[in-house]
Amino acid sequence: MECRPAPVGPAPDRHHFTATAKPPAVAVSLSGISIFRPALSGILAPASQERSFVTQGQTQSADPGLAARHLTCLRGERVVFADLDFTLSPGGALILVGPNGSGKSSLLRLLAGLSRPFSGALTWNGTDIAQDPDAHRARLRYAGHQDAVKPTLTALENLSVWAGLDGLDDPEDRAGRALAALAMDHVADMPGRYLSAGQKKRVNLARLALAPARTAPLWLLDEPATALDRDSIDRLAALIAAHRRAGGMVVLSTHSDMDVADASMLNLADFGATTDDEDESQNEAVGVPA
Ligand SMILES: Nc1ncnc2c1ncn2[C@@H]1O[C@H](COP(=O)(O)OP(=O)(O)OP(=O)(O)O)[C@@H](O)[C@H]1O
């Protein structure tokens, strides 16, 4: 079951938000209102004293790029995370961390418009993304866990098809250059079925290099480093850096170290019900039957 709107009960209060950030381009904040977990109230700031950090020269009210406001996600009748706020501006990077099941993939799916928040809003330049899902889809590239490589098409053909579906001109030329960006030109003519797990992953990620940042500024990457060797991780990091220099932005989840300069970290564990003990009380709070 997906994150979804549901007309029940108040949102739960939030854990302490720990974020490290360096400029440029990401602002995160916590507005915590203690509703049913008073023991945590000492580390929660009242709404009137919202704690936030904002990149120099930016204001949260401008909401440039992508913004999440009081985002709450429910999956399988369980609150995964709640009252999550962040702003991601052009050139910015946000790294999602947290233990298995803390909601990294769920948040990426929300940002991609693949599922709906239980409550809260996601905006692009101040407009709710739900108002124009097609426009949002066009501006983003989402790389999830699923392998999208067609086994009967070569690596080059796979990318050419994607470039065509994305409405890009010169699809084959773009495909060749995208493969080169991930050092995959030597397998351009190999059918997808013969590619190794890491090679398939690189073909999937090469899709990011098909379009310029002005066409698809938002990259949403779910554990992009999984199955990649060290050199490929470095190439991906270079691709991300070039994208950001061109005004693009990236949200990625990871369990390992990735060299993403000046990125902000968001630990989903600080926003969610991560223990079995907490599940029951949170479900009661949002009106979910036992
Ligand atoms: N389709 C679904 N239906 C119900 N619950 C789901 C579904 N998909 C995920 N969940 C639950 O949502 C919670 C968050 O899962 P999610 O995949 O977002 O976590 P994650 O942080 O990405 O985990 P991991 O580090 O293992 O990839 C988990 O408790 C998971 O069991």
Side-chain angles (χ1 to χ4, degrees):
M1 191 176 297
E2 301 293 347
C3 299
R4 65 196 191 285
V8 286
D13 67 15
R14 298 307 347 118
H15 295 248
H16 177 62
F17 178 73
T18 314
T20 59
K22 304 165 194 163
V26 174
V28 294
S29 68
L30 165 68
S31 58
I33 302 168
S34 180
I35 295 172
F36 66 97
R37 198 181 283 159
L40 288 174
S41 59
I43 58 170
L44 292 170
S48 59
Q49 299 170 13
E50 184 173 89
R51 286 176 291 152
S52 65
F53 57 87
V54 180
T55 306
Q56 197 174 11
Q58 297 171 348
T59 61
Q60 282 197 305
S61 58
D63 279 350
L66 183 70
R69 291 288 174 263
H70 306 297
L71 208 60
T72 293
C73 174
L74 199 70
R75 294 197 88 165
E77 302 184 342
R78 173 178 179 263
V79 175
V80 179
F81 55 79
D83 211 14
L84 184 69
D85 281 12
F86 70 83
T87 301
L88 182 64
S89 299
L94 182 63
I95 299 183
L96 309 179
V97 296
N100 294 139
S102 58
K104 302 177 296 297
S105 299
S106 300
L107 176 56
L108 286 164
R109 288 178 59 81
L110 287 180
L111 301 182
L114 295 171
S115 57
R116 290 252 182 144
F118 172 79
S119 63
L122 279 169
T123 60
W124 181 264
N125 293 341
T127 302
D128 198 310
I129 64 168
Q131 282 188 21
D132 193 346
D134 290 341
H136 189 60
R137 262 192 295 279
R139 71 173 66 100
L140 68 85
R141 293 292 178 269
Y142 168 77
H145 289 298
Q146 298 283 343
D147 163 26
V149 176
K150 294 270 178 280
T152 54
L153 300 182
T154 67
L156 187 70
E157 288 167 345
N158 267 284
L159 280 160
S160 301
V161 167
W162 290 333
L165 290 173
D166 289 340
L168 300 167
D169 55 8
D170 301 324
E172 192 168 326
D173 184 50
R174 284 177 186 274
R177 281 185 280 127
L179 278 178
L182 269 297
M184 287 289 287
D185 12 9
H186 63 293
V187 295
D189 297 324
M190 190 178 283
R193 74 163 78 87
Y194 298 135
L195 297 173
S196 72
Q199 288 172 331
K200 276 186 198 160
K201 184 87 174 191
R202 282 155 68 184
V203 172
N204 274 308
L205 292 171
R207 185 175 183 182
L208 300 171
L210 287 171
R214 67 177 178 280
T215 304
L218 178 60
W219 288 2
L220 304 172
L221 313 179
D222 204 348
E223 297 186 34
T226 303
L228 295 186
D229 59 36
R230 190 65 247 176
D231 286 348
S232 301
I233 292 174
D234 291 345
R235 279 187 204 98
L236 173 62
L239 205 61
I240 289 171
H243 180 65
R244 293 173 64 197
R245 279 195 302 275
M249 55 197 91
V250 62
V251 183
L252 67 88
S253 67
T254 184
H255 283 291
S256 55
D257 280 346
M258 260 199 77
D259 186 16
V260 181
D262 298 332
S264 292
M265 305 282 286
L266 192 143
N267 188 343
L268 271 294
D270 293 332
F271 290 85
T274 55
T275 69
D276 292 343
D277 287 348
E278 287 173 334
D279 281 353
E280 203 174 314
S281 63
Q282 293 226 352
N283 284 341
E284 280 170 16
V286 297
V288 176

